Amino acid sequence: AGSWDHFLSSGEVAWRMLADELHDGANARCLLIARDGDRSAIDGLPLTLTDSGADADIVLLSGSEGDRYDLDHYHRLLEPAAARGLRCICTNPDKVMLTTAGPRFGAGRIAELYAEMGGTVEWIGKPFPRIYEAALALLGNPAPERVVCVGDSIEHDIAGGRTAGLNTALVSTGILETSTATERERLFAEHGAAPDFLLPAFAW
């Protein structure tokens, strides 16, 4: 706790947004896709959990169990919701996550799948603007040149920070640990975003 003054997650930004939208007694039914039974994304909100996309009012994607299930599992789960045109909020746009079994697809890939089925996805988190706006507001909207965005994903951390007009630092461990300099350069070009700084690890 002594290492930071503020801690903000995309899940909290989504929670605040839903708290403003929902009212007591609304009792909307939520299909929550999370990891290890984590319910923190909806704690304190007037939402009732459902296991079926057929009777849900909203889909909330906060995590992936891609190390336990394949994409077909999520396709079957989400297909009824997509067919009904339900709003899906993805609070974790990462398409790749690191697990004890190695890299697996993240919640962002499940959200992509939902969009591929014709569903509408509202993205909250890097590289999308709402998380940067909320973080900067929490800091009192400092001058952009005094801010640096640090992460291991070119698509999310670097592209998102650059789009927000902020400095970026790419950590070459994490999901890029086995990538070569040539592969990183290809990703810079693919996402139109190169970092201002390169760090060998996220450490002081």
Side-chain angles (χ1 to χ4, degrees):
S3 300
W4 60 78
D5 294 315
H6 304 288
F7 194 100
L8 178 70
S9 70
S10 54
E12 182 177 350
V13 173
W15 190 97
R16 292 179 180 180
M17 179 187 74
L18 287 171
D20 287 340
E21 292 180 9
L22 299 170
H23 57 277
D24 291 338
N27 201 29
R29 291 164 298 180
C30 175
L31 174 60
L32 174 64
I33 296 178
R35 185 167 181 82
D36 298 325
D38 180 17
R39 294 169 48 108
S40 60
I42 65 161
D43 281 347
L45 294 175
L47 291 170
T48 299
L49 287 182
T50 177
D51 294 326
S52 171
D55 61 5
D57 299 307
I58 189 171
V59 176
L60 186 57
L61 256 171
S62 68
S64 164
E65 293 185 308
D67 51 342
R68 300 171 188 165
Y69 303 107
D70 58 19
L71 274 176
D72 285 342
H73 164 81
Y74 290 105
H75 189 284
R76 292 190 297 271
L77 183 63
L78 290 168
E79 191 171 30
R84 295 170 54 226
L86 288 192
R87 174 193 189 191
C88 172
I89 300 174
C90 178
T91 65
N92 184 353
D94 287 348
K95 296 173 186 173
V96 178
M97 65 175 182
L98 296 178
T99 74
T100 55
R104 294 293 186 269
F105 62 86
R109 179 64 190 100
I110 301 172
E112 275 189 337
L113 177 66
Y114 191 77
E116 290 164 8
M117 289 189 283
T120 300
V121 178
E122 186 172 346
W123 301 85
I124 300 178
K126 300 171 294 184
F128 302 96
R130 192 188 295 262
I131 187 69
Y132 296 95
E133 294 165 0
L136 292 171
L138 192 61
L139 294 171
N141 291 305
E145 60 267 20
R146 299 191 61 230
V147 179
V148 61
C149 303
V150 183
D152 66 344
S153 168
I154 296 164
E155 180 179 2
H156 297 94
D157 302 309
I158 305 308
R162 300 287 289 183
T163 300
L166 305 170
N167 300 296
T168 60
L170 179 67
V171 181
S172 55
T173 52
I175 64 172
L176 295 175
E177 189 164 14
T178 60
S179 66
T180 65
T182 300
E183 288 169 336
R184 289 198 296 267
E185 289 292 338
R186 179 183 58 78
L187 288 169
F188 297 158
E190 179 182 339
H191 299 292
D196 298 289
F197 308 101
L198 184 65
L199 302 177
F202 185 49
W204 292 109

